[in-house]
PDB file of all heavy atoms in Angstrom:
ATOM      1  N   ASN A   1     147.667   3.982  39.947  1.00  0.00           N
ATOM      2  CA  ASN A   1     147.498   4.283  38.533  1.00  0.00           C
ATOM      3  C   ASN A   1     146.456   3.358  37.896  1.00  0.00           C
ATOM      4  O   ASN A   1     146.745   2.634  36.937  1.00  0.00           O
ATOM      5  CB  ASN A   1     148.846   4.142  37.813  1.00  0.00           C
ATOM      6  CG  ASN A   1     148.802   4.664  36.391  1.00  0.00           C
ATOM      7  OD1 ASN A   1     148.035   5.566  36.064  1.00  0.00           O
ATOM      8  ND2 ASN A   1     149.636   4.085  35.535  1.00  0.00           N
ATOM      9  N   PRO A   2     145.218   3.371  38.403  1.00  0.00           N
ATOM     10  CA  PRO A   2     144.183   2.478  37.856  1.00  0.00           C
ATOM     11  C   PRO A   2     143.770   2.907  36.455  1.00  0.00           C
ATOM     12  O   PRO A   2     143.734   4.098  36.145  1.00  0.00           O
ATOM     13  CB  PRO A   2     143.025   2.642  38.849  1.00  0.00           C
ATOM     14  CG  PRO A   2     143.200   4.036  39.384  1.00  0.00           C
ATOM     15  CD  PRO A   2     144.686   4.247  39.469  1.00  0.00           C
ATOM     16  N   HIS A   3     143.428   1.931  35.619  1.00  0.00           N
ATOM     17  CA  HIS A   3     143.051   2.236  34.239  1.00  0.00           C
ATOM     18  C   HIS A   3     141.622   2.745  34.111  1.00  0.00           C
ATOM     19  O   HIS A   3     141.291   3.406  33.122  1.00  0.00           O
ATOM     20  CB  HIS A   3     143.208   0.988  33.368  1.00  0.00           C
ATOM     21  CG  HIS A   3     144.641   0.609  33.148  1.00  0.00           C
ATOM     22  ND1 HIS A   3     145.016  -0.522  32.453  1.00  0.00           N
ATOM     23  CD2 HIS A   3     145.800   1.218  33.533  1.00  0.00           C
ATOM     24  CE1 HIS A   3     146.339  -0.592  32.414  1.00  0.00           C
ATOM     25  NE2 HIS A   3     146.829   0.443  33.070  1.00  0.00           N
ATOM     26  N   ASN A   4     140.782   2.406  35.076  1.00  0.00           N
ATOM     27  CA  ASN A   4     139.384   2.830  34.984  1.00  0.00           C
ATOM     28  C   ASN A   4     138.753   2.864  36.379  1.00  0.00           C
ATOM     29  O   ASN A   4     139.391   2.502  37.377  1.00  0.00           O
ATOM     30  CB  ASN A   4     138.588   1.903  34.045  1.00  0.00           C
ATOM     31  CG  ASN A   4     138.715   0.436  34.421  1.00  0.00           C
ATOM     32  OD1 ASN A   4     138.651   0.077  35.587  1.00  0.00           O
ATOM     33  ND2 ASN A   4     138.904  -0.417  33.428  1.00  0.00           N
ATOM     34  N   VAL A   5     137.502   3.310  36.426  1.00  0.00           N
ATOM     35  CA  VAL A   5     136.795   3.440  37.701  1.00  0.00           C
ATOM     36  C   VAL A   5     136.643   2.078  38.374  1.00  0.00           C
ATOM     37  O   VAL A   5     136.772   1.959  39.603  1.00  0.00           O
ATOM     38  CB  VAL A   5     135.417   4.110  37.490  1.00  0.00           C
ATOM     39  CG1 VAL A   5     134.546   3.976  38.742  1.00  0.00           C
ATOM     40  CG2 VAL A   5     135.596   5.582  37.134  1.00  0.00           C
ATOM     41  N   TYR A   6     136.373   1.034  37.584  1.00  0.00           N
ATOM     42  CA  TYR A   6     136.192  -0.299  38.154  1.00  0.00           C
ATOM     43  C   TYR A   6     137.438  -0.732  38.932  1.00  0.00           C
ATOM     44  O   TYR A   6     137.356  -1.167  40.077  1.00  0.00           O
ATOM     45  CB  TYR A   6     135.885  -1.303  37.044  1.00  0.00           C
ATOM     46  CG  TYR A   6     135.775  -2.740  37.527  1.00  0.00           C
ATOM     47  CD1 TYR A   6     134.587  -3.225  38.052  1.00  0.00           C
ATOM     48  CD2 TYR A   6     136.876  -3.597  37.449  1.00  0.00           C
ATOM     49  CE1 TYR A   6     134.496  -4.542  38.504  1.00  0.00           C
ATOM     50  CE2 TYR A   6     136.787  -4.902  37.900  1.00  0.00           C
ATOM     51  CZ  TYR A   6     135.591  -5.365  38.425  1.00  0.00           C
ATOM     52  OH  TYR A   6     135.503  -6.663  38.872  1.00  0.00           O
ATOM     53  N   VAL A   7     138.604  -0.592  38.314  1.00  0.00           N
ATOM     54  CA  VAL A   7     139.853  -0.984  38.971  1.00  0.00           C
ATOM     55  C   VAL A   7     140.118  -0.092  40.180  1.00  0.00           C
ATOM     56  O   VAL A   7     140.497  -0.575  41.252  1.00  0.00           O
ATOM     57  CB  VAL A   7     141.031  -0.918  37.978  1.00  0.00           C
ATOM     58  CG1 VAL A   7     142.359  -1.144  38.702  1.00  0.00           C
ATOM     59  CG2 VAL A   7     140.856  -1.943  36.865  1.00  0.00           C
ATOM     60  N   ALA A   8     139.895   1.205  40.024  1.00  0.00           N
ATOM     61  CA  ALA A   8     140.131   2.145  41.130  1.00  0.00           C
ATOM     62  C   ALA A   8     139.287   1.792  42.347  1.00  0.00           C
ATOM     63  O   ALA A   8     139.716   1.965  43.490  1.00  0.00           O
ATOM     64  CB  ALA A   8     139.826   3.568  40.675  1.00  0.00           C
ATOM     65  N   SER A   9     138.091   1.268  42.110  1.00  0.00           N
ATOM     66  CA  SER A   9     137.168   0.953  43.196  1.00  0.00           C
ATOM     67  C   SER A   9     137.464  -0.379  43.866  1.00  0.00           C
ATOM     68  O   SER A   9     136.909  -0.672  44.926  1.00  0.00           O
ATOM     69  CB  SER A   9     135.721   0.946  42.674  1.00  0.00           C
ATOM     70  OG  SER A   9     135.366   2.215  42.158  1.00  0.00           O
ATOM     71  N   ARG A  10     138.323  -1.192  43.259  1.00  0.00           N
ATOM     72  CA  ARG A  10     138.635  -2.510  43.826  1.00  0.00           C
ATOM     73  C   ARG A  10     139.616  -2.422  44.987  1.00  0.00           C
ATOM     74  O   ARG A  10     139.687  -3.306  45.823  1.00  0.00           O
ATOM     75  CB  ARG A  10     139.210  -3.443  42.744  1.00  0.00           C
ATOM     76  CG  ARG A  10     138.235  -3.748  41.617  1.00  0.00           C
ATOM     77  CD  ARG A  10     137.465  -5.040  41.816  1.00  0.00           C
ATOM     78  NE  ARG A  10     136.530  -5.034  42.913  1.00  0.00           N
ATOM     79  CZ  ARG A  10     135.292  -4.559  42.843  1.00  0.00           C
ATOM     80  NH1 ARG A  10     134.845  -4.016  41.741  1.00  0.00           N
ATOM     81  NH2 ARG A  10     134.489  -4.634  43.881  1.00  0.00           N
ATOM     82  N   LEU A  11     140.463  -1.374  44.998  1.00  0.00           N
ATOM     83  CA  LEU A  11     141.477  -1.242  46.039  1.00  0.00           C
ATOM     84  C   LEU A  11     141.295   0.059  46.797  1.00  0.00           C
ATOM     85  O   LEU A  11     140.984   1.094  46.208  1.00  0.00           O
ATOM     86  CB  LEU A  11     142.882  -1.279  45.433  1.00  0.00           C
ATOM     87  CG  LEU A  11     143.336  -2.597  44.798  1.00  0.00           C
ATOM     88  CD1 LEU A  11     144.740  -2.443  44.237  1.00  0.00           C
ATOM     89  CD2 LEU A  11     143.292  -3.742  45.794  1.00  0.00           C
ATOM     90  N   GLY A  12     141.530  -0.001  48.092  1.00  0.00           N
ATOM     91  CA  GLY A  12     141.439   1.181  48.925  1.00  0.00           C
ATOM     92  C   GLY A  12     140.318   1.108  49.931  1.00  0.00           C
ATOM     93  O   GLY A  12     139.171   0.825  49.578  1.00  0.00           O
ATOM     94  N   ILE A  13     140.651   1.306  51.206  1.00  0.00           N
ATOM     95  CA  ILE A  13     139.663   1.348  52.283  1.00  0.00           C
ATOM     96  C   ILE A  13     139.882   2.630  53.065  1.00  0.00           C
ATOM     97  O   ILE A  13     140.962   2.837  53.618  1.00  0.00           O
ATOM     98  CB  ILE A  13     139.798   0.141  53.240  1.00  0.00           C
ATOM     99  CG1 ILE A  13     139.565  -1.170  52.479  1.00  0.00           C
ATOM    100  CG2 ILE A  13     138.800   0.235  54.382  1.00  0.00           C
ATOM    101  CD1 ILE A  13     139.805  -2.406  53.339  1.00  0.00           C
ATOM    102  N   PRO A  14     138.874   3.519  53.095  1.00  0.00           N
ATOM    103  CA  PRO A  14     137.603   3.489  52.378  1.00  0.00           C
ATOM    104  C   PRO A  14     137.809   3.568  50.865  1.00  0.00           C
ATOM    105  O   PRO A  14     138.870   3.946  50.385  1.00  0.00           O
ATOM    106  CB  PRO A  14     136.878   4.748  52.888  1.00  0.00           C
ATOM    107  CG  PRO A  14     137.607   5.143  54.136  1.00  0.00           C
ATOM    108  CD  PRO A  14     139.012   4.706  53.949  1.00  0.00           C
ATOM    109  N   ARG A  15     136.747   3.271  50.127  1.00  0.00           N
ATOM    110  CA  ARG A  15     136.829   3.274  48.676  1.00  0.00           C
ATOM    111  C   ARG A  15     137.072   4.677  48.142  1.00  0.00           C
ATOM    112  O   ARG A  15     136.757   5.683  48.785  1.00  0.00           O
ATOM    113  CB  ARG A  15     135.533   2.725  48.071  1.00  0.00           C
ATOM    114  CG  ARG A  15     135.352   1.242  48.256  1.00  0.00           C
ATOM    115  CD  ARG A  15     134.050   0.769  47.647  1.00  0.00           C
ATOM    116  NE  ARG A  15     133.993   1.015  46.213  1.00  0.00           N
ATOM    117  CZ  ARG A  15     132.992   0.600  45.434  1.00  0.00           C
ATOM    118  NH1 ARG A  15     131.961  -0.046  45.958  1.00  0.00           N
ATOM    119  NH2 ARG A  15     133.015   0.857  44.147  1.00  0.00           N
ATOM    120  N   ILE A  16     137.596   4.727  46.930  1.00  0.00           N
ATOM    121  CA  ILE A  16     137.804   5.986  46.253  1.00  0.00           C
ATOM    122  C   ILE A  16     136.468   6.698  46.045  1.00  0.00           C
ATOM    123  O   ILE A  16     135.431   6.056  45.826  1.00  0.00           O
ATOM    124  CB  ILE A  16     138.522   5.758  44.898  1.00  0.00           C
ATOM    125  CG1 ILE A  16     138.965   7.086  44.284  1.00  0.00           C
ATOM    126  CG2 ILE A  16     137.637   4.962  43.943  1.00  0.00           C
ATOM    127  CD1 ILE A  16     139.870   6.905  43.075  1.00  0.00           C
ATOM    128  N   ASN A  17     136.467   8.009  46.153  1.00  0.00           N
ATOM    129  CA  ASN A  17     135.271   8.808  45.887  1.00  0.00           C
ATOM    130  C   ASN A  17     135.245   9.170  44.402  1.00  0.00           C
ATOM    131  O   ASN A  17     136.185   9.788  43.890  1.00  0.00           O
ATOM    132  CB  ASN A  17     135.308  10.103  46.713  1.00  0.00           C
ATOM    133  CG  ASN A  17     135.334   9.829  48.215  1.00  0.00           C
ATOM    134  OD1 ASN A  17     134.328   9.486  48.812  1.00  0.00           O
ATOM    135  ND2 ASN A  17     136.515   9.990  48.816  1.00  0.00           N
ATOM    136  N   ILE A  18     134.208   8.766  43.705  1.00  0.00           N
ATOM    137  CA  ILE A  18     134.028   9.119  42.291  1.00  0.00           C
ATOM    138  C   ILE A  18     132.928  10.168  42.217  1.00  0.00           C
ATOM    139  O   ILE A  18     131.770   9.901  42.573  1.00  0.00           O
ATOM    140  CB  ILE A  18     133.664   7.897  41.429  1.00  0.00           C
ATOM    141  CG1 ILE A  18     134.734   6.799  41.594  1.00  0.00           C
ATOM    142  CG2 ILE A  18     133.508   8.298  39.963  1.00  0.00           C
ATOM    143  CD1 ILE A  18     136.103   7.164  41.081  1.00  0.00           C
ATOM    144  N   LEU A  19     133.275  11.369  41.741  1.00  0.00           N
ATOM    145  CA  LEU A  19     132.369  12.511  41.790  1.00  0.00           C
ATOM    146  C   LEU A  19     132.379  13.256  40.469  1.00  0.00           C
ATOM    147  O   LEU A  19     133.363  13.191  39.713  1.00  0.00           O
ATOM    148  CB  LEU A  19     132.814  13.477  42.905  1.00  0.00           C
ATOM    149  CG  LEU A  19     132.912  12.912  44.319  1.00  0.00           C
ATOM    150  CD1 LEU A  19     133.758  13.826  45.190  1.00  0.00           C
ATOM    151  CD2 LEU A  19     131.523  12.716  44.904  1.00  0.00           C
ATOM    152  N   PRO A  20     131.291  13.987  40.165  1.00  0.00           N
ATOM    153  CA  PRO A  20     131.338  14.884  39.001  1.00  0.00           C
ATOM    154  C   PRO A  20     132.415  15.944  39.235  1.00  0.00           C
ATOM    155  O   PRO A  20     132.459  16.567  40.299  1.00  0.00           O
ATOM    156  CB  PRO A  20     129.937  15.495  38.969  1.00  0.00           C
ATOM    157  CG  PRO A  20     129.082  14.574  39.784  1.00  0.00           C
ATOM    158  CD  PRO A  20     129.979  14.013  40.834  1.00  0.00           C
ATOM    159  N   SER A  21     133.263  16.148  38.263  1.00  0.00           N
ATOM    160  CA  SER A  21     134.383  17.071  38.476  1.00  0.00           C
ATOM    161  C   SER A  21     133.934  18.518  38.611  1.00  0.00           C
ATOM    162  O   SER A  21     134.646  19.335  39.209  1.00  0.00           O
ATOM    163  CB  SER A  21     135.399  16.942  37.335  1.00  0.00           C
ATOM    164  OG  SER A  21     134.787  17.156  36.079  1.00  0.00           O
ATOM    165  N   HIS A  22     132.717  18.852  38.108  1.00  0.00           N
ATOM    166  CA  HIS A  22     132.253  20.237  38.176  1.00  0.00           C
ATOM    167  C   HIS A  22     131.948  20.686  39.614  1.00  0.00           C
ATOM    168  O   HIS A  22     131.746  21.878  39.866  1.00  0.00           O
ATOM    169  CB  HIS A  22     131.026  20.450  37.281  1.00  0.00           C
ATOM    170  CG  HIS A  22     129.794  19.729  37.733  1.00  0.00           C
ATOM    171  ND1 HIS A  22     129.048  20.113  38.832  1.00  0.00           N
ATOM    172  CD2 HIS A  22     129.176  18.625  37.225  1.00  0.00           C
ATOM    173  CE1 HIS A  22     128.023  19.305  38.990  1.00  0.00           C
ATOM    174  NE2 HIS A  22     128.077  18.383  38.029  1.00  0.00           N
ATOM    175  N   LEU A  23     131.927  19.734  40.551  1.00  0.00           N
ATOM    176  CA  LEU A  23     131.699  20.112  41.948  1.00  0.00           C
ATOM    177  C   LEU A  23     132.855  20.957  42.494  1.00  0.00           C
ATOM    178  O   LEU A  23     132.687  21.674  43.479  1.00  0.00           O
ATOM    179  CB  LEU A  23     131.527  18.862  42.817  1.00  0.00           C
ATOM    180  CG  LEU A  23     130.291  17.995  42.538  1.00  0.00           C
ATOM    181  CD1 LEU A  23     130.328  16.747  43.402  1.00  0.00           C
ATOM    182  CD2 LEU A  23     129.013  18.774  42.776  1.00  0.00           C
ATOM    183  N   PHE A  24     134.020  20.826  41.859  1.00  0.00           N
ATOM    184  CA  PHE A  24     135.188  21.581  42.296  1.00  0.00           C
ATOM    185  C   PHE A  24     135.574  22.583  41.216  1.00  0.00           C
ATOM    186  O   PHE A  24     135.392  22.330  40.018  1.00  0.00           O
ATOM    187  CB  PHE A  24     136.371  20.644  42.571  1.00  0.00           C
ATOM    188  CG  PHE A  24     136.104  19.617  43.621  1.00  0.00           C
ATOM    189  CD1 PHE A  24     135.678  18.348  43.284  1.00  0.00           C
ATOM    190  CD2 PHE A  24     136.268  19.924  44.970  1.00  0.00           C
ATOM    191  CE1 PHE A  24     135.423  17.393  44.249  1.00  0.00           C
ATOM    192  CE2 PHE A  24     136.020  18.974  45.947  1.00  0.00           C
ATOM    193  CZ  PHE A  24     135.586  17.714  45.595  1.00  0.00           C
ATOM    194  N   SER A  25     136.117  23.707  41.619  1.00  0.00           N
ATOM    195  CA  SER A  25     136.579  24.700  40.661  1.00  0.00           C
ATOM    196  C   SER A  25     137.928  24.266  40.091  1.00  0.00           C
ATOM    197  O   SER A  25     138.607  23.397  40.643  1.00  0.00           O
ATOM    198  CB  SER A  25     136.721  26.072  41.333  1.00  0.00           C
ATOM    199  OG  SER A  25     137.657  25.988  42.403  1.00  0.00           O
ATOM    200  N   GLY A  26     138.314  24.839  38.960  1.00  0.00           N
ATOM    201  CA  GLY A  26     139.611  24.536  38.379  1.00  0.00           C
ATOM    202  C   GLY A  26     139.501  23.989  36.980  1.00  0.00           C
ATOM    203  O   GLY A  26     138.399  23.864  36.411  1.00  0.00           O
ATOM    204  N   ASP A  27     140.643  23.641  36.401  1.00  0.00           N
ATOM    205  CA  ASP A  27     140.727  23.129  35.041  1.00  0.00           C
ATOM    206  C   ASP A  27     140.575  21.608  35.080  1.00  0.00           C
ATOM    207  O   ASP A  27     141.499  20.890  35.457  1.00  0.00           O
ATOM    208  CB  ASP A  27     142.079  23.521  34.428  1.00  0.00           C
ATOM    209  CG  ASP A  27     142.217  23.032  32.997  1.00  0.00           C
ATOM    210  OD1 ASP A  27     141.186  22.785  32.348  1.00  0.00           O
ATOM    211  OD2 ASP A  27     143.374  22.896  32.533  1.00  0.00           O
ATOM    212  N   HIS A  28     139.399  21.107  34.696  1.00  0.00           N
ATOM    213  CA  HIS A  28     139.113  19.682  34.800  1.00  0.00           C
ATOM    214  C   HIS A  28     139.533  18.945  33.531  1.00  0.00           C
ATOM    215  O   HIS A  28     139.324  19.425  32.425  1.00  0.00           O
ATOM    216  CB  HIS A  28     137.624  19.467  35.080  1.00  0.00           C
ATOM    217  CG  HIS A  28     137.154  20.180  36.316  1.00  0.00           C
ATOM    218  ND1 HIS A  28     137.764  20.017  37.524  1.00  0.00           N
ATOM    219  CD2 HIS A  28     136.149  21.083  36.501  1.00  0.00           C
ATOM    220  CE1 HIS A  28     137.158  20.774  38.427  1.00  0.00           C
ATOM    221  NE2 HIS A  28     136.182  21.437  37.825  1.00  0.00           N
ATOM    222  N   LYS A  29     140.090  17.762  33.727  1.00  0.00           N
ATOM    223  CA  LYS A  29     140.604  16.973  32.604  1.00  0.00           C
ATOM    224  C   LYS A  29     139.674  15.833  32.244  1.00  0.00           C
ATOM    225  O   LYS A  29     140.036  14.968  31.435  1.00  0.00           O
ATOM    226  CB  LYS A  29     141.997  16.461  32.942  1.00  0.00           C
ATOM    227  CG  LYS A  29     142.988  17.593  33.225  1.00  0.00           C
ATOM    228  CD  LYS A  29     144.306  17.073  33.716  1.00  0.00           C
ATOM    229  CE  LYS A  29     145.313  18.206  33.895  1.00  0.00           C
ATOM    230  NZ  LYS A  29     144.892  19.178  34.925  1.00  0.00           N
ATOM    231  N   GLY A  30     138.513  15.793  32.854  1.00  0.00           N
ATOM    232  CA  GLY A  30     137.521  14.772  32.557  1.00  0.00           C
ATOM    233  C   GLY A  30     136.259  15.045  33.338  1.00  0.00           C
ATOM    234  O   GLY A  30     136.286  15.777  34.336  1.00  0.00           O
ATOM    235  N   PRO A  31     135.140  14.459  32.923  1.00  0.00           N
ATOM    236  CA  PRO A  31     133.868  14.732  33.595  1.00  0.00           C
ATOM    237  C   PRO A  31     133.730  14.107  34.975  1.00  0.00           C
ATOM    238  O   PRO A  31     132.886  14.520  35.764  1.00  0.00           O
ATOM    239  CB  PRO A  31     132.828  14.144  32.635  1.00  0.00           C
ATOM    240  CG  PRO A  31     133.566  13.095  31.877  1.00  0.00           C
ATOM    241  CD  PRO A  31     134.965  13.588  31.738  1.00  0.00           C
ATOM    242  N   GLN A  32     134.567  13.095  35.282  1.00  0.00           N
ATOM    243  CA  GLN A  32     134.529  12.457  36.601  1.00  0.00           C
ATOM    244  C   GLN A  32     135.893  12.604  37.274  1.00  0.00           C
ATOM    245  O   GLN A  32     136.936  12.458  36.631  1.00  0.00           O
ATOM    246  CB  GLN A  32     134.183  10.973  36.497  1.00  0.00           C
ATOM    247  CG  GLN A  32     132.810  10.681  35.926  1.00  0.00           C
ATOM    248  CD  GLN A  32     132.472   9.208  36.039  1.00  0.00           C
ATOM    249  OE1 GLN A  32     131.960   8.742  37.048  1.00  0.00           O
ATOM    250  NE2 GLN A  32     132.758   8.448  34.995  1.00  0.00           N
ATOM    251  N   ILE A  33     135.865  12.890  38.554  1.00  0.00           N
ATOM    252  CA  ILE A  33     137.089  13.016  39.334  1.00  0.00           C
ATOM    253  C   ILE A  33     137.124  11.913  40.385  1.00  0.00           C
ATOM    254  O   ILE A  33     136.104  11.591  41.004  1.00  0.00           O
ATOM    255  CB  ILE A  33     137.171  14.422  39.987  1.00  0.00           C
ATOM    256  CG1 ILE A  33     138.545  14.655  40.628  1.00  0.00           C
ATOM    257  CG2 ILE A  33     136.064  14.628  41.014  1.00  0.00           C
ATOM    258  CD1 ILE A  33     138.747  16.082  41.105  1.00  0.00           C
ATOM    259  N   GLY A  34     138.283  11.297  40.537  1.00  0.00           N
ATOM    260  CA  GLY A  34     138.457  10.260  41.546  1.00  0.00           C
ATOM    261  C   GLY A  34     139.355  10.756  42.657  1.00  0.00           C
ATOM    262  O   GLY A  34     140.491  11.183  42.395  1.00  0.00           O
ATOM    263  N   LEU A  35     138.846  10.701  43.877  1.00  0.00           N
ATOM    264  CA  LEU A  35     139.601  11.200  45.028  1.00  0.00           C
ATOM    265  C   LEU A  35     139.703  10.097  46.086  1.00  0.00           C
ATOM    266  O   LEU A  35     138.693   9.676  46.671  1.00  0.00           O
ATOM    267  CB  LEU A  35     138.911  12.421  45.644  1.00  0.00           C
ATOM    268  CG  LEU A  35     138.989  13.734  44.852  1.00  0.00           C
ATOM    269  CD1 LEU A  35     138.120  14.794  45.510  1.00  0.00           C
ATOM    270  CD2 LEU A  35     140.423  14.205  44.761  1.00  0.00           C
ATOM    271  N   ARG A  36     140.931   9.621  46.309  1.00  0.00           N
ATOM    272  CA  ARG A  36     141.145   8.753  47.450  1.00  0.00           C
ATOM    273  C   ARG A  36     140.912   9.559  48.722  1.00  0.00           C
ATOM    274  O   ARG A  36     141.173  10.770  48.751  1.00  0.00           O
ATOM    275  CB  ARG A  36     142.582   8.221  47.451  1.00  0.00           C
ATOM    276  CG  ARG A  36     142.977   7.387  46.236  1.00  0.00           C
ATOM    277  CD  ARG A  36     142.426   6.004  46.316  1.00  0.00           C
ATOM    278  NE  ARG A  36     142.894   5.168  45.206  1.00  0.00           N
ATOM    279  CZ  ARG A  36     142.359   3.991  44.910  1.00  0.00           C
ATOM    280  NH1 ARG A  36     141.350   3.526  45.635  1.00  0.00           N
ATOM    281  NH2 ARG A  36     142.811   3.280  43.897  1.00  0.00           N
ATOM    282  N   PRO A  37     140.419   8.933  49.783  1.00  0.00           N
ATOM    283  CA  PRO A  37     140.162   9.692  51.020  1.00  0.00           C
ATOM    284  C   PRO A  37     141.370  10.476  51.517  1.00  0.00           C
ATOM    285  O   PRO A  37     141.223  11.582  52.036  1.00  0.00           O
ATOM    286  CB  PRO A  37     139.749   8.598  52.008  1.00  0.00           C
ATOM    287  CG  PRO A  37     139.137   7.542  51.159  1.00  0.00           C
ATOM    288  CD  PRO A  37     139.948   7.543  49.893  1.00  0.00           C
ATOM    289  N   GLU A  38     142.570   9.899  51.325  1.00  0.00           N
ATOM    290  CA  GLU A  38     143.768  10.596  51.793  1.00  0.00           C
ATOM    291  C   GLU A  38     144.160  11.756  50.874  1.00  0.00           C
ATOM    292  O   GLU A  38     145.069  12.533  51.198  1.00  0.00           O
ATOM    293  CB  GLU A  38     144.941   9.618  51.925  1.00  0.00           C
ATOM    294  CG  GLU A  38     145.430   9.023  50.619  1.00  0.00           C
ATOM    295  CD  GLU A  38     144.743   7.736  50.225  1.00  0.00           C
ATOM    296  OE1 GLU A  38     143.625   7.489  50.720  1.00  0.00           O
ATOM    297  OE2 GLU A  38     145.330   6.976  49.436  1.00  0.00           O
ATOM    298  N   ASN A  39     143.492  11.878  49.712  1.00  0.00           N
ATOM    299  CA  ASN A  39     143.799  12.958  48.771  1.00  0.00           C
ATOM    300  C   ASN A  39     142.755  14.070  48.787  1.00  0.00           C
ATOM    301  O   ASN A  39     142.620  14.819  47.819  1.00  0.00           O
ATOM    302  CB  ASN A  39     143.943  12.400  47.355  1.00  0.00           C
ATOM    303  CG  ASN A  39     145.218  11.587  47.191  1.00  0.00           C
ATOM    304  OD1 ASN A  39     146.150  11.739  47.963  1.00  0.00           O
ATOM    305  ND2 ASN A  39     145.245  10.724  46.208  1.00  0.00           N
ATOM    306  N   ILE A  40     142.017  14.164  49.865  1.00  0.00           N
ATOM    307  CA  ILE A  40     141.080  15.273  50.056  1.00  0.00           C
ATOM    308  C   ILE A  40     141.670  16.214  51.099  1.00  0.00           C
ATOM    309  O   ILE A  40     142.003  15.800  52.210  1.00  0.00           O
ATOM    310  CB  ILE A  40     139.701  14.760  50.504  1.00  0.00           C
ATOM    311  CG1 ILE A  40     139.071  13.908  49.382  1.00  0.00           C
ATOM    312  CG2 ILE A  40     138.785  15.930  50.867  1.00  0.00           C
ATOM    313  CD1 ILE A  40     137.759  13.268  49.774  1.00  0.00           C
TER     314      ILE A  40
END
């Protein structure tokens, strides 16, 4: 439950993927989507 991209990027190997959310279809809740490798 990181508060921001900076915190999200501090933990996790490999690092979290930060991507434009429009790359994926669906109802997006923000312009950037964060995907841990295990959540792809």
